[in-house]
Amino acid sequence: MSAMSKQRKNIFYVFLVVVATIGKVVISFLESMGKFAVFLTNLLLSIVIPPYYPRQIVSQFMEIGYFSLPVVALTTVFAGMVLALQIRSGMGSMSSESLVAPIVSIGILRELSPVLAGLMVAGRVGASMAAELGTMKVTEQVDALVTLSTNPMKYLIRPRVIAGTIALPLLIIIGDIIGVLGGYLVSIYRLHMNIGLYLQATLSNLVMLDLSIGIVKGLCFGFIITVLSCYHGLSSSGGAKGVGKATTNAVVASSISILFCNYIVTGFMV
Amino acid sequence: MLDNTNPLIELRDVKKHFGSKKILQGIDLKVNKGESLVIIGGSGTGKSVTLKCILGLLKPTSGEILYDGQRIDHLSLRKREDVNSKIGMLFQGGALFDSLSIWENISFGALAKKQVTQSTAKKLAIECLEKVGLDPLVANSYPSELSGGMQKRAGLARAIATNPEVILFDEPTTGLDPIMANVINDLIISVTKDLGSSAITITHDMNSALKIADRVAMLWDGRIIWQGTSQDVENTDNPYIQQFYQGCADGPIDWAKKKF
Ligand SMILES: Nc1ncnc2c1ncn2[C@@H]1O[C@H](COP(=O)(O)OP(=O)(O)O)[C@@H](O)[C@H]1O
Ligand SMILES: [Mg+2]
């Protein structure tokens, strides 16, 4: 009898621990969502209030846009090349210029170039942004800004978000061109297709939507990556370890968020 | 004790808790115009937290902070900037912006407040470098290229560049050799005398405290447990001050009991 009640007590105890753990996770999730919402509101409220720090915007634009060009070019060119090969192999004898060319450009313009550029920038820029801001936070440089009459939101965050939101659509347009070029090179030089027919099939099937999807995605991804990376960077605490954690969180959160956003935007636009 | 009727900064029963950790449990403190106050206390007692509350970097859990008779502990960020533009701060770790050169660091606040133009900013920075005894040649270096002592001086130059009414020094001599520590002490005395600024200095270096202070306050267990002039420090029979002054392990301050 008493053994039985003891067992029941144990089960009850385990149950309590499980509930408490779930509760803790939920609460900390809600807490971080709340903090993020406050951060985002502050950013958006400050968006029209000067000063604008144009030098910061330009230097961030170089960092995010210009220095990401090589990785974006490399990933999109290979994506275009492999796409042409796969369509040829998958479609067999059906695959002519008029099939391969439009599929390559639709695939590149609408999906591969935006997503690859987004992921590359999330990895490259998201990590370095979170690490830089995180280091500034834990070494009290962010506090020092406040004591020197400068709002960190306007001086550190806003230039990065503006630069990222402008840079990504441009990167994606460049990725579009290079990716289509990759498909073209493989089709002509490896699959020995007809240059004239291929070019004509590419151009005649292009519609405005192909381009505008990429641009809308670029605007969204650029905003998401910079906002999340800045948020995680600025909320780091506890020295080098905290900065490392913030960096990882920034990259993971921005990668997942842009893939999710990619689906939403596609769903709305097509 | 000094006359405390017209304080520039006043803390009234300021409490600061982090979750269940009660760091400040009711600080009462006054700093008069032109006065140099030194706060002493062991590490982790909340000295830096006190300064951060004054600067609005942390929000007190309860209590009032006044600047020149005005409440400043619940200001919006923009009004806060006006108050902070009258306060200079030397951070414990220097907190120089490592992406900017030394002269850009020093003139940062003056530029932000439009006290100087882009073209005169560097001149101002070099003047400040000279005041803290640094070679104007370091103006173009970056913080990571300077030694610890030089970084402290550059931080000091940045703190005084905007001609603040009050300067807060967070452990200005910690981690420096005794000679450099004395140099910094003298610098603090001379810049506060030159500018006529008030100063709040945090330290656990008794020598430096006695040298800089018009008045010494001791922070222990979240409260100011003792205040007096430098002379009072040497003559008091307060066991806490005695122990701190002599650096004994035995006494009322029992580190082993305090959980950090
Ligand atoms: N932002 C914070 N969050 C949580 N705890 C903090 C924070 N800042 C300081 N503390 C805690 O407050 C205590 C006092 O810190 P501090 O004021 O830096 O000490 P010191 O007197 O050495 O300057 C420490 O135990 C520290 O862990
Ligand atoms: Mg401290």
Side-chain angles (χ1 to χ4, degrees):
Chain A
M1 187 67 200
S2 92
M4 187 85 160
S5 80
K6 204 170 195 179
Q7 203 176 8
R8 247 194 220 152
K9 233 183 207 162
N10 279 342
I11 291 171
F12 185 63
Y13 180 72
V14 169
F15 175 73
L16 272 188
V17 168
V18 170
V19 169
T21 312
I22 295 174
K24 251 184 219 153
V25 171
V26 171
I27 287 172
S28 79
F29 175 75
L30 289 179
E31 198 179 295
S32 58
M33 289 307 281
K35 276 189 195 148
F36 180 66
V38 170
F39 173 82
L40 198 58
T41 319
N42 280 338
L43 176 69
L44 294 177
L45 285 180
S46 83
I47 212 99
V48 291
I49 305 169
Y52 275 99
Y53 305 107
R55 269 175 58 196
Q56 298 296 107
I57 300 182
V58 170
S59 78
Q60 288 303 322
F61 183 81
M62 295 300 282
E63 185 57 40
I64 300 169
Y66 186 71
F67 293 115
S68 296
L69 270 178
V71 276
V72 171
L74 277 174
T75 46
T76 49
V77 77
F78 284 123
M81 288 163 69
V82 88
L83 197 54
L85 276 186
Q86 290 283 23
I87 297 161
R88 167 64 152 223
S89 137
M91 296 291 177
S93 56
M94 275 166 59
S95 55
S96 58
E97 289 83 354
S98 61
L99 190 73
V100 174
I103 296 184
V104 166
S105 48
I106 288 178
I108 290 291
L109 266 64
R110 292 186 176 204
E111 285 302 325
L112 288 172
S113 170
V115 168
L116 287 175
L119 290 177
M120 287 302 126
V121 171
R124 227 192 120 253
V125 178
S128 78
M129 219 174 254
E132 188 184 352
L133 293 179
T135 307
M136 290 188 74
K137 169 81 185 189
V138 301
T139 56
E140 299 183 314
Q141 292 177 50
V142 176
D143 288 344
L145 273 180
V146 177
T147 66
L148 296 169
S149 313
T150 303
N151 183 340
M153 207 53 139
K154 292 184 203 159
Y155 182 76
L156 292 177
I157 312 302
R158 195 170 60 187
R160 284 170 166 79
V161 174
I162 292 176
T165 312
I166 300 172
L168 251 190
L170 298 177
L171 275 177
I172 288 174
I173 292 174
I174 293 169
D176 290 348
I177 297 168
I178 294 174
V180 170
L181 184 72
Y184 169 86
L185 291 176
V186 165
S187 304
I188 304 303
Y189 294 104
R190 171 115 190 238
L191 307 175
H192 306 295
M193 292 185 173
N194 182 297
I195 296 181
L197 286 178
Y198 190 91
L199 283 179
Q200 204 218 338
T202 303
L203 293 174
S204 65
N205 283 294
L206 267 185
V207 290
M208 201 51 216
L209 185 64
D210 296 335
L211 195 64
S212 54
I213 283 191
I215 292 174
V216 172
K217 286 182 178 176
L219 292 171
C220 299
F221 296 176
F223 183 80
I224 291 174
I225 293 168
T226 46
V227 165
L228 284 176
S229 307
C230 290
Y231 169 73
H232 282 289
L234 273 196
S235 31
S236 22
S237 60
K241 204 172 162 195
V243 175
K245 214 170 113 193
T247 308
T248 312
N249 287 344
V251 175
V252 172
S254 16
S255 305
I256 294 175
S257 307
I258 60 178
L259 291 177
F260 175 70
C261 170
N262 182 48
Y263 180 78
I264 304 282
V265 172
T266 309
F268 268 106
M269 291 191 70
V270 297
Chain B
M1 255 193 220
L2 291 167
D3 177 23
N4 284 352
T5 46
N6 189 17
L8 187 59
I9 295 182
E10 183 173 2
L11 280 75
R12 288 186 190 153
D13 197 26
V14 170
K15 296 183 180 158
K16 179 67 191 172
H17 303 171
F18 294 106
S20 60
K21 277 193 293 184
K22 298 183 176 168
I23 304 299
L24 304 183
Q25 304 179 33
I27 300 276
D28 288 295
L29 205 58
K30 288 176 185 173
V31 186
N32 296 316
K33 289 202 173 93
E35 186 188 26
S36 169
L37 172 76
V38 169
I39 303 177
I40 57 173
S43 22
T45 47
K47 303 183 301 295
S48 299
V49 169
T50 309
L51 289 193
K52 284 184 182 170
C53 285
I54 295 175
L55 285 163
L57 298 170
L58 291 172
K59 218 174 158 51
T61 311
S62 69
E64 294 179 3
I65 300 176
L66 292 91
Y67 188 90
D68 226 354
Q70 308 274 332
R71 282 282 294 268
I72 56 164
D73 50 286
H74 58 275
L75 290 180
S76 71
L77 202 60
R78 192 129 38 103
K79 290 205 188 109
R80 187 74 231 185
E81 277 176 21
D82 295 340
V83 178
N84 278 358
S85 69
K86 296 175 197 156
I87 308 179
M89 168 84 181
L90 173 62
F91 282 86
Q92 198 165 349
L96 294 167
F97 305 126
D98 43 31
S99 60
L100 300 179
S101 66
I102 294 298
W103 78 263
E104 287 170 314
N105 262 284
I106 295 173
S107 53
F108 194 96
L111 271 176
K113 281 184 242 162
K114 304 210 167 62
Q115 287 177 344
V116 291
T117 59
Q118 285 288 347
S119 49
T120 50
K122 193 164 183 179
K123 231 180 88 206
L124 168 79
I126 287 175
E127 277 168 25
C128 293
L129 280 176
E130 278 165 355
K131 274 187 210 159
V132 299
L134 275 179
D135 192 326
L137 285 176
V138 304
N140 289 317
S141 327
Y142 283 82
S144 58
E145 297 161 12
L146 304 189
S147 70
M150 287 163 94
Q151 287 189 14
K152 277 263 156 78
R153 289 187 190 212
L156 189 58
R158 185 175 71 179
I160 63 172
T162 54
N163 282 321
E165 290 175 0
V166 193
I167 314 182
L168 314 181
F169 301 98
D170 195 348
E171 302 199 11
T173 56
T174 304
L176 300 181
D177 62 78
I179 298 168
M180 184 59 78
N182 254 325
V183 171
I184 296 277
N185 287 339
D186 291 340
L187 276 174
I188 291 175
I189 295 169
S190 76
V191 296
T192 46
K193 290 264 150 54
D194 283 355
L195 298 171
S197 316
S198 314
I200 304 180
T201 309
I202 281 176
T203 187
H204 36 223
D205 170 357
M206 257 341 234
N207 285 326
S208 137
L210 294 180
K211 213 166 165 189
I212 303 171
D214 294 329
R215 193 153 53 91
V216 177
M218 174 146 190
L219 180 64
W220 171 247
D221 214 13
R223 286 189 185 83
I224 300 292
I225 54 160
W226 187 89
Q227 294 191 47
T229 62
S230 308
Q231 263 143 21
D232 296 339
V233 172
E234 289 170 65
N235 302 329
T236 180
D237 50 7
N238 182 304
Y240 290 91
I241 297 289
Q242 290 247 310
Q243 191 193 346
F244 209 82
Y245 188 38
Q246 290 155 6
C248 319
D250 299 325
I253 305 176
D254 191 348
W255 297 111
K257 255 193 218 153
K258 192 94 182 135
K259 296 238 164 31
F260 291 111

